[in-house]
Amino acid sequence: MAHRPQQRRSGRPARPGGNPAARSHGTATGPNARGGSAPGNAARPGRNPQRPGGAPGSSRGPRTAAPSPSSAWRRRLEIASAPVLLTLHRLPRLVLPVVLGLLLFLGLIAPADRLAWAGGLALSLVTLFLAWLLALSWPVLTPGSRLLRVAVVIAVAGVTVLKFVGRI
């Protein structure tokens, strides 16, 4: 009986010994392609298992600004923020967006005559949270992302001031 090469799903014959191209580039194929514990599928430093070619310096994917050397202020901010970020990370996924959405909604609908201070306080919390996230992510943002996020923080801060003085 003649030996027939194995057929792949694409109809082309498979190479003996697997796919050497996949092995040489560090990508996994088959049922364990998404980070399973199969041999040869171990995590490699600097690679993103979700995206082939995820090596640092690769031209694929979104470009980010190179992180600048940390200043003393930035380092203190990162250290002080670490426990808060860990706590936020442990929360269920929907808690933070729901709480921020409620604060924004309540801050915007608070009547300007009696409860302007409460609306301003709720909007202040949203503004502070957005500014804090902006400060933490600043080194890795592109200039366009920085501009957009600064504009959002300024807009929410402006609405907050207008709410405090009773104009909204």
Side-chain angles (χ1 to χ4, degrees):
M1 201 159 144
H3 177 264
R4 289 178 40 207
Q6 284 183 321
Q7 293 288 323
R8 286 194 268 175
R9 287 185 185 180
S10 65
R12 291 180 286 183
R15 292 186 181 134
N19 185 354
R23 280 195 316 265
S24 66
H25 293 296
T27 58
T29 58
N32 294 326
R34 291 242 170 187
S37 59
N41 200 18
R44 292 192 172 110
R47 307 278 301 178
N48 182 350
Q50 303 294 326
R51 189 181 82 215
S58 171
S59 63
R60 298 181 196 177
R63 303 189 98 176
T64 57
S68 60
S70 294
S71 65
W73 178 86
R74 171 148 195 85
R75 191 70 191 133
R76 283 195 314 263
L77 175 68
E78 290 171 351
I79 290 170
S81 299
V84 178
L85 288 171
L86 286 173
T87 302
L88 292 175
H89 182 70
R90 288 186 195 121
L91 292 174
R93 193 171 263 193
L94 287 176
V95 169
L96 189 61
V98 167
V99 168
L100 285 174
L102 281 173
L103 284 172
L104 184 63
F105 179 71
L106 294 174
L108 290 173
I109 67 163
D113 52 353
R114 296 181 310 263
L115 295 174
W117 64 270
L121 183 63
L123 290 173
S124 305
L125 293 173
V126 173
T127 304
L128 288 173
F129 183 78
L130 292 176
W132 174 63
L133 284 182
L134 175 65
L136 285 175
S137 62
W138 187 266
V140 295
L141 294 175
T142 62
S145 295
R146 288 177 180 174
L147 180 65
L148 183 64
R149 292 180 192 206
V150 166
V152 167
V153 171
I154 289 172
V156 176
V159 171
T160 302
V161 169
L162 291 175
K163 183 58 93 170
F164 268 124
V165 297
R167 292 282 186 109
I168 295 180

